[in-house]
Amino acid sequence: MVENKGKNVVDTEHSLSAVDEASRQGFWAVLVVMVGFTFFSPSMTAGGNLGIGLNMRDFFIAMSLGNGFLGAYTGALAFIGQKTGLTLDLLARHSFGEKGSYLSSVLISFTQIGWFGVGVAMFAIPVGLLLNINQTVLIIVMGILMTATAYYGIKALAILGSIAVPLIAALGIYSVNFGINQVNGFGNVFAEFPAQPITMAAALSIVIGSFISGGTATPNFTRFSKTTNIAVWATIVAFFAGNSIMFVFGAVGGAVTGNADIFDILIAQGLMIPAILVLGLNIWTTNNNALYTAGLGLANITKIQSKPMVLVGGAIGTLAAMWLYNNFVAYLSILGGMIPPVGVVIIIHFFMNKKAYEEGKIQTKSVNYGAILAVVAGVLAGVFVTIGIPPLNSLIVSAIVYYIYEVVTNNK
């Protein structure tokens, strides 16, 4: 409860407090939210790029290793979210400090509002051109619809996911089967020696980088789970199986047509209406989660419930959608690379102070400079270390720096 002009207003999304037992959800509700989150058109496009640049064996190796890592990383965050009932931003208050958490909240809210706007434009531009509809009108309509479902919170996300996930899966399976039949069998889909091959390190960077930033927001959704098993398994299924499905859908179309864009692949297969549905539902389910996450981040900063903050973020993202799409995607990608170190700091802080969390005795500083230092070090490693896989470099360096800081300060 929060006080608002003399009246008690219930915060149904628990944006400023832990989720209570009455608000906890079962496996299906959590699963469709998480799978809907990972069912994202850019993941299909990333799969398309792998389908063009890898043979079949290397494609499945890269996809399995990359999504396996994503499942482990997000699974740990899912466990923490369910155990504490706290949002990513409230968890950051403990690990980064009350004021220090504003750094992660600003970073996450800014990037998620940005990606929300880009997602709206990603739908409006191709569909507007295809159907000869004014793109500005489409942006406004879709922005309003996506903001509305994010506003109504986790229950609305579950309802939309229950509709979107089976439909996207069915359309994707049809498209894959169409592509396989074009080349007379799955064994003929991938070129044994691709014309423009990519390295395994580059492939793993694509797989892990495709969703590690978004996956860091996992606690925002799994905190509603009734049990840790529900939280962890729903997340693992989403990020290992769900994300792999997106990569397979994209890879088959990309390898068969030479085009990595799933919308163009479906149009080329004569599937105009399914193309619009897949693109729209893919973006809608992920945009909902992005805007919901942004609202929680703004709530942490302003101490205002997340629902009005969702409206603010949705309005900004919708109005700036075309500008963001044309001018800011590269910057959003750079900023998105700064988010995973936040997640690894939260994971280490929780497991090194697990007893204090469980007993409700965790002490919160104003600013935890070790956490901020770890994030900065991880970001620099991800940008400047050229050996290995950049997303992993970032996480490993952040983890090492923060672990050493915790050990030293705890000993003191």
Side-chain angles (χ1 to χ4, degrees):
M1 299 266 189
V2 295
E3 198 69 26
N4 184 16
K5 295 183 180 180
K7 296 181 180 180
N8 287 331
V9 180
V10 177
D11 182 4
T12 57
E13 300 311 307
H14 302 276
S15 48
L16 299 171
S17 62
V19 175
D20 57 28
E21 287 301 318
S23 301
R24 301 282 181 159
Q25 305 287 314
F27 181 74
W28 176 255
V30 179
L31 178 68
V32 292
V33 169
M34 295 307 298
V35 174
F37 191 23
T38 60
F39 272 23
F40 192 33
S41 293
S43 295
M44 290 189 182
T45 302
N49 286 320
L50 295 191
I52 294 170
L54 297 174
N55 60 33
M56 183 166 64
R57 183 201 63 187
D58 289 344
F59 168 76
F60 279 102
I61 290 173
M63 184 183 71
S64 300
L65 290 177
N67 285 329
F69 175 81
L70 285 176
Y73 171 70
T74 56
L77 288 167
F79 179 89
I80 295 169
Q82 194 284 331
K83 271 290 186 184
T84 61
L86 299 176
T87 67
L88 179 71
D89 301 277
L90 296 183
L91 287 167
R93 283 192 196 179
H94 294 317
S95 51
F96 286 80
E98 177 74 25
K99 298 287 189 352
S101 69
Y102 295 168
L103 171 66
S104 62
S105 292
V106 167
L107 178 64
I108 291 166
S109 298
F110 183 80
T111 52
Q112 296 308 300
I113 290 171
W115 283 121
F116 173 85
V118 170
V120 173
M122 282 176 62
F123 176 81
I125 292 171
V127 173
L129 290 172
L130 184 67
L131 301 180
N132 196 27
I133 299 174
N134 185 280
Q135 293 173 355
T136 302
V137 172
L138 272 178
I139 284 173
I140 293 171
V141 170
M142 292 306 298
I144 291 171
L145 290 173
M146 292 176 184
T147 301
T149 46
Y151 175 84
Y152 285 106
I154 198 73
K155 290 184 179 178
L157 300 187
I159 292 170
L160 179 64
S162 295
I163 298 168
V165 167
L167 188 56
I168 293 169
L171 293 173
I173 291 169
Y174 181 87
S175 175
V176 167
N177 187 61
F178 188 100
I180 291 171
N181 288 336
Q182 281 186 304
V183 294
N184 299 316
F186 190 77
N188 299 322
V189 168
F190 297 86
E192 182 60 32
F193 302 101
Q196 295 179 312
I198 59 176
T199 65
M200 182 57 67
L204 286 171
S205 295
I206 290 172
V207 178
I208 296 171
S210 69
F211 234 101
I212 192 167
S213 295
T216 303
T218 293
N220 291 340
F221 313 106
T222 58
R223 63 198 171 105
F224 287 95
S225 306
K226 286 183 178 179
T227 67
T228 53
N229 278 339
I230 288 173
V232 172
W233 281 111
T235 302
I236 290 174
V237 169
F239 280 91
F240 184 74
N243 210 34
S244 293
I245 289 169
M246 291 297 98
F247 271 81
V248 170
F249 288 174
V252 172
V256 171
T257 67
N259 190 333
D261 191 304
I262 187 63
F263 184 78
D264 292 338
I265 290 168
L266 290 171
I267 295 297
Q269 292 175 341
L271 303 171
M272 183 180 75
I273 300 301
I276 294 172
L277 283 173
V278 166
L279 184 68
L281 291 173
N282 261 298
I283 291 172
W284 195 337
T285 52
T286 305
N287 260 15
N288 267 191
N289 293 46
L291 189 56
Y292 184 79
T293 293
L296 293 172
L298 293 175
N300 181 50
I301 298 166
T302 63
K303 305 301 183 287
I304 298 172
Q305 289 186 22
S306 63
K307 283 192 171 184
M309 294 296 99
V310 165
L311 296 178
V312 171
I316 294 171
T318 301
L319 292 174
M322 194 64 79
W323 179 81
L324 288 165
Y325 182 84
N326 290 327
N327 299 284
F328 219 64
V329 172
Y331 295 103
L332 286 172
S333 297
I334 293 170
L335 291 171
M338 299 179 183
I339 295 175
V342 172
V344 82
V345 166
I346 287 172
I347 291 170
I348 291 174
H349 188 268
F350 175 83
F351 285 106
M352 292 189 74
N353 301 277
K354 192 168 181 285
K355 187 175 180 182
Y357 272 95
E358 291 173 346
E359 295 176 353
K361 296 179 180 179
I362 192 73
Q363 295 185 359
T364 302
K365 302 176 182 178
S366 175
V367 178
N368 186 341
Y369 293 102
I372 294 173
L373 176 63
V375 170
V376 172
V379 169
L380 293 175
V383 173
F384 293 107
V385 176
T386 56
I387 300 172
I389 301 164
L392 282 183
N393 294 341
S394 180
L395 288 186
I396 291 168
V397 170
S398 291
I400 292 171
V401 170
Y402 188 65
Y403 179 79
I404 292 172
Y405 175 85
E406 278 286 303
V407 170
V408 171
T409 52
N410 286 343
N411 285 341
K412 287 184 178 179

